[in-house]
Amino acid sequence: MDATSRHVLAEFYGCPHHLLNDVKVIEKKLTEAALAAGAEIREVAFHKFAPQGVSGVVIISESHLSIHTWPELGYAAVDVFTCGTTVNPWDACKFLEQSLEAERVIGMEVSRGSDTPLKAEIKEF
Amino acid sequence: MDATSRHVLAEFYGCPHHLLNDVKVIEKKLTEAALAAGAEIREVAFHKFAPQGVSGVVIISESHLSIHTWPELGYAAVDVFTCGTTVNPWDACKFLEQSLEAERVIGMEVSRGSDTPLKAEIKEF
């Protein structure tokens, strides 16, 4: 079976509150990250929580990007899931690291869609 | 820091082609899985690819569920990401295992949103 995909789970620490709490900023940055990585956007869905926090997803031809933010903690959970070989999920993560002004990011890449699933490797960048 | 969340990455094998290729079925099953696990749905986004395959996301108050299907391989990649303690992500996975008639599911649970991130544990069920 070959639906080989790369799934990056990244923990973003030390991001400014005003960025993580603005749903328009988060939607703009996540879509820009998708495009920066060379992905093709198909659907988007974003939600602003009260009193704070944003969740959002960009569905791309190559799978998806998602984000959940805790502005009060400066923390965001980012996922970039890409099938095929044209998009490197780390490119989207690195774009977001810059644009969300993260002080520290830890990411895990999980191999999905093969017959030997769920191999994981943790990186800090 | 405490944004402690549970992220289950699950590989579904041996699902019938007609289920995995029907965007209405996939949207119905993913939203039902969210509700079955006790989650509160906020936004949904689904996309049908040509010639086959479906991607979809349900944003919940507790984070998200996502799915990407490869009907030709009988394979689906499912994620259930839940913050807080009220929703058990495995409940949604087990609901989907039944409703997508998977022959085999392998899941990995990753601990997110803490100061000791990305601990992973693999289970087969």
Side-chain angles (χ1 to χ4, degrees):
Chain A
M1 195 189 85
D2 189 7
T4 305
S5 304
R6 304 171 68 186
H7 186 172
V8 171
L9 294 71
E11 308 284 89
F12 282 50
Y13 301 103
C15 304
H17 185 285
H18 70 277
L19 294 179
L20 295 190
N21 205 35
D22 187 326
V23 65
K24 290 187 179 172
V25 166
I26 295 296
E27 178 168 346
K28 183 172 188 289
K29 298 303 182 189
L30 209 67
T31 53
E32 285 177 350
L35 296 173
E40 183 185 32
I41 294 171
R42 298 292 192 143
E43 311 281 345
V44 300
F46 286 82
H47 189 83
K48 173 77 169 71
F49 291 95
Q52 55 194 355
V54 171
S55 284
V57 178
V58 177
I59 295 178
I60 54 177
S61 297
E62 301 80 6
S63 294
H64 77 262
L65 295 83
S66 69
I67 190 166
H68 304 287
T69 76
W70 280 256
E72 70 278 23
L73 300 174
Y75 166 74
V78 171
D79 284 64
V80 185
F81 187 145
T82 61
C83 60
T85 57
T86 58
V87 177
N88 181 342
W90 293 101
D91 289 347
C93 281
K94 284 174 183 161
F95 180 93
L96 287 170
E97 181 187 23
Q98 294 295 317
S99 57
L100 297 180
E101 302 175 17
E103 290 175 356
R104 180 173 170 236
V105 176
I106 297 176
M108 168 193 277
E109 177 170 338
V110 181
S111 172
R112 303 192 66 171
S114 70
D115 290 318
T116 54
L118 298 173
K119 287 178 295 185
E121 182 184 1
I122 295 176
K123 300 180 187 182
E124 184 156 3
F125 63 100
Chain B
M1 194 188 85
D2 189 6
T4 305
S5 304
R6 304 171 68 185
H7 186 172
V8 172
L9 294 70
E11 308 284 89
F12 282 51
Y13 301 102
C15 303
H17 184 286
H18 71 277
L19 294 179
L20 295 190
N21 205 36
D22 187 326
V23 66
K24 290 187 179 171
V25 166
I26 295 296
E27 179 168 345
K28 182 172 188 291
K29 299 302 182 190
L30 210 66
T31 53
E32 286 177 350
L35 296 172
E40 184 185 31
I41 294 171
R42 297 292 193 142
E43 311 281 345
V44 300
F46 285 81
H47 189 82
K48 173 77 169 71
F49 291 96
Q52 56 194 352
V54 171
S55 285
V57 178
V58 177
I59 295 178
I60 55 178
S61 297
E62 301 81 5
S63 293
H64 77 262
L65 296 83
S66 69
I67 189 166
H68 304 287
T69 76
W70 280 255
E72 70 278 24
L73 301 173
Y75 166 74
V78 170
D79 282 66
V80 185
F81 188 144
T82 61
C83 60
T85 56
T86 58
V87 177
N88 181 342
W90 293 100
D91 290 346
C93 281
K94 284 175 182 160
F95 180 93
L96 287 170
E97 180 186 25
Q98 296 293 318
S99 58
L100 297 180
E101 301 174 19
E103 290 175 356
R104 181 174 170 234
V105 176
I106 297 176
M108 167 193 278
E109 178 170 336
V110 181
S111 172
R112 304 192 67 171
S114 69
D115 289 319
T116 54
L118 299 173
K119 287 178 294 185
E121 182 185 359
I122 294 176
K123 299 180 187 182
E124 184 157 4
F125 63 101

